[in-house]
Amino acid sequence: MALAHKGLPYEAIPVKYTDKSSIAFSNQDRVPVLVDEGVTVSDSWAIACHLEQKYQAAPALLGGDMGRHFTRFIDLWATRSVFPHIVRLVLFDALNHLDPVDADYVRSTRERQLGIDLATLEAQRGENIKPFNQSVAPLRSYIRQHAFLGGETPSYADYTVFSLFQWARMISSFRLIEIDDPIFSWRSRMLGLFDGLAANVPHDDH
Amino acid sequence: MIQQNRITLFDLSGVDDELRISPFCWRIKMALAHKRLDYEAVPWRLVEKERIAASNLSTAPVIVDGGVVVGDSWRIAEYLDSAYPSRPLFVSEQAKAYCRWIHFWTERILHPLIVPLILEDVLKAIHPADFEYFRRTRERAYGRPLADVCDRSAVAYEKLFAATSFVRSLLRETKFVSGESPSYGDYVLFGAYQWARCCSEVRIFRDDKDPTTIWFTRMLGLYDDLGSRAVRLTMLPTRAP
């Protein structure tokens, strides 16, 4: 979304959990990794900052110093306060979308991290939706008054939160957000951006 | 130089006139100090509705600035910036959007996690004349008796620390939430912790090395120790039960 926002041509290369040889050159083992004219940047926040710094003539992703602080607040909030709740709700379904080898890897590593088996988590969805809903309450309040977190137009703050919903939507048919929720309308606006960049991928959300 | 009126702030007070116990009023005191505006924070109680009737609101903060009466913390902050443009609380539209986000996060996430930890002490801090009103309105808001809301279990602390873990990360990277100098967003966040500090001795930070503790100490020292000088419930002589 950030690359599309900046209007930059790019190629997205698939990487598997259990075959990270293609990103070994980045000296770490997590995606995303960006290679931009010989410069390698890993970590989504560092990539957003890199794109903003290097392509200043293109539409702003962060919007100056204050925008950067705002976006970082949202970025950390989304990753630390919202993502864990979404993981608990949809991770079980992710297994159906992975190569068998990757699925085993994800199941064993995540079950160890979460201290619970994924099938049990799936059975607890009814209870786990409530803390998720509470965690996104600030987003709900904000989106009632603004079209996007970026204001009239979307910015990286929108992309970092939306990516969590997009991930859930791609791997699971579980309904995270009800249709009458302001967050649902915001998500629809996000899906429509950049000629349906996010809408036009295989997904389980109907 | 234009003569400025002294602004009056109706500031929620507790058992003692000098015990100021509203997180929302603390935001405005910090905002007024930020703007170097001359103000008087007068003690006000929840039941004194007629004193703030001109605001059409039922609770503090309310400010009176000459002939202008403004209530609601967010609207007061907006008013102060439009009436007194120098030393802005919101340096840009972007900054304002950020503060609005912090406002929502604080009210929807942080306050509800602090309440169970401090409520028992808030009940001691509240003025006797306000007690029944406070109990009735809060029980309606929480949907259960106040005794059931009070919770100082390890789980309640853990919930607070988990929900604020990203704030610790943020404050590890910057001095104030908006960079090198404090903004209204800092005052909103500060209001929540200062509310807890004035009413209670419970542990609201993980430990002394918690970046939020360091930030809060920095906030307490701003504007000639405005926050630091505040009267706390624990400083008052113990009253007979």
Side-chain angles (χ1 to χ4, degrees), chain A:
Chain A
M1 301 289 275
L3 288 162
H5 180 104
K6 285 282 184 191
L8 297 167
Y10 65 92
E11 182 190 5
I13 300 164
V15 177
K16 288 188 173 142
Y17 280 109
T18 49
D19 180 11
K20 293 176 176 169
S21 54
S22 60
I23 57 164
F25 69 92
S26 69
N27 294 321
Q28 55 89 54
D29 64 352
R30 305 178 81 174
V31 290
V33 173
L34 181 84
V35 180
D36 181 12
E37 294 180 330
V39 177
T40 301
V41 191
S42 55
D43 178 82
S44 56
W45 176 249
I47 292 172
C49 294
H50 164 85
L51 295 175
E52 188 76 338
Q53 171 73 25
K54 183 164 175 189
Y55 302 99
Q56 295 185 9
L61 270 175
L62 308 174
D65 268 358
M66 200 52 76
R68 191 166 47 81
H69 292 304
F70 180 17
T71 314
R72 184 58 168 157
F73 190 101
I74 302 254
D75 183 58
L76 288 167
W77 167 78
T79 315
R80 305 276 282 279
S81 291
V82 180
F83 188 50
H85 293 297
I86 299 185
V87 165
R88 297 173 81 84
L89 290 165
V90 303
L91 188 59
F92 182 79
D93 292 337
L95 301 178
N96 301 326
H97 294 266
L98 294 165
D99 277 0
V101 182
D102 270 11
D104 284 346
Y105 170 85
V106 166
R107 183 194 287 274
S108 61
T109 54
R110 301 306 188 266
E111 287 188 343
R112 203 174 329 125
Q113 281 168 13
L114 297 166
I116 189 168
D117 68 278
L118 299 187
T120 309
L121 263 187
E122 203 236 356
Q124 291 175 351
R125 274 175 172 174
E127 305 150 48
N128 289 341
I129 188 74
K130 199 176 160 215
F132 160 74
N133 256 315
Q134 284 168 349
S135 78
V136 291
L139 176 64
R140 192 170 287 124
S141 299
Y142 195 91
I143 268 335
R144 266 199 195 102
Q145 297 180 352
H146 307 268
F148 296 102
L149 293 172
E152 297 291 305
T153 55
S155 74
Y156 188 76
D158 292 277
Y159 308 143
T160 191
V161 180
F162 171 73
S163 65
L164 310 182
F165 289 96
Q166 172 73 348
W167 173 68
R169 165 181 179 271
M170 289 175 66
I171 58 170
S172 174
S173 59
F174 183 73
R175 190 183 284 278
L176 280 177
I177 296 293
E178 297 301 325
I179 292 173
D180 57 359
D181 191 319
I183 296 173
F184 189 91
S185 321
W186 165 79
R187 198 194 70 154
S188 303
R189 289 193 287 281
M190 296 302 294
L191 286 167
L193 295 174
F194 315 121
D195 300 321
L197 171 65
N200 300 329
V201 294
H203 57 90
D204 264 11
D205 177 38
H206 303 292

Side-chain angles (χ1 to χ4, degrees), chain A residues 45 62-64 66-74 76-77 80-81 134-142 144-146 149-150 155, chain B residues 91-92 94-98 100-102 104-105 108-109 162-167 169-170 172-174 176-180 183 189:
Chain A
W45 176 249
L62 308 174
M66 200 52 76
R68 191 166 47 81
H69 292 304
F70 180 17
T71 314
R72 184 58 168 157
F73 190 101
I74 302 254
L76 288 167
W77 167 78
R80 305 276 282 279
S81 291
Q134 284 168 349
S135 78
V136 291
L139 176 64
R140 192 170 287 124
S141 299
Y142 195 91
R144 266 199 195 102
Q145 297 180 352
H146 307 268
L149 293 172
S155 74
Chain B
V91 294
S92 61
Q94 195 102 42
K96 190 170 176 178
Y98 183 17
R100 192 62 170 156
W101 177 269
I102 294 177
F104 284 131
W105 179 80
R108 305 298 299 272
I109 304 290
T164 51
S165 90
F166 82 94
V167 181
S169 299
L170 185 85
R172 219 169 261 133
E173 296 174 10
T174 73
F176 295 101
V177 293
S178 35
E180 281 303 299
S183 77
L189 201 55

Side-chain angles (χ1 to χ4, degrees), chain B residues 1 14 24 27 29 37 43 52 58 70-71 75 80 95 97 102 104 121 129 131 136 147 151-152 168 215-216 223 236:
Chain B
M1 200 171 157
F24 312 102
R27 296 174 187 174
K29 281 178 281 188
L37 291 169
I52 57 165
S58 62
V70 191
R75 281 179 43 219
L80 292 176
I102 294 177
F104 284 131
D121 293 328
F131 192 89
R136 192 177 69 245
D151 180 6
R152 285 186 188 166
R168 289 194 288 282
W215 162 85
F216 186 63
Y223 315 124
L236 299 174

